[in-house]
Amino acid sequence: MTSQIVLMNSHSVSIASDSAVTISNPKKGEMITFNSVNKIFHMGGKHDLAFVISGNANFPPGGIAWSRVIGMFAKKIGEEPLPTVDEYVKKFQRF
């Protein structure tokens, strides 16, 4: 089970997440747990925005890793930060 928290005030935001993921192997009937998975992805550069994922680590329609999708999005919008979080949401939805 994923544990994630976001704390906010008027000056900053703090994001935390566990790093465990459990994968089932139906052929062997076993579960494997990895304790070193990244679930927080910062946009990088001047963008003060991060994505937090849980559940499936892949974007469902194409099975592409969310980390790759987020990286491609960051590259597409360029270096200059957007004025609001709402603008990031709109651009990501169109992406």
Side-chain angles (χ1 to χ4, degrees):
M1 176 183 292
T2 294
S3 297
Q4 297 173 323
I5 187 167
V6 176
L7 301 173
M8 298 171 44
N9 64 26
S10 60
H11 302 287
S12 63
V13 175
S14 181
I15 303 170
S17 179
D18 70 322
S19 61
V21 66
T22 301
I23 300 170
S24 64
N25 183 342
K27 291 181 182 178
K28 293 186 177 181
E30 64 185 15
M31 306 288 268
I32 302 168
T33 301
F34 299 94
N35 292 308
S36 58
V37 176
N38 291 327
K39 297 180 182 181
I40 301 172
F41 301 95
H42 183 262
M43 289 277 295
K46 298 178 184 177
H47 301 283
D48 290 331
L49 190 85
F51 288 79
V52 182
I53 64 167
S54 64
N56 193 343
N58 295 324
F59 182 61
I64 300 169
W66 275 111
S67 58
R68 179 78 174 123
V69 172
I70 294 163
M72 290 167 34
F73 173 66
K75 191 173 185 176
K76 180 163 178 70
I77 64 171
E79 292 293 319
E80 286 304 309
L82 302 177
T84 65
V85 173
D86 192 47
E87 286 297 314
Y88 283 99
V89 171
K90 288 176 184 175
K91 285 192 181 268
F92 188 73
Q93 288 173 333
R94 285 191 300 262
F95 173 71

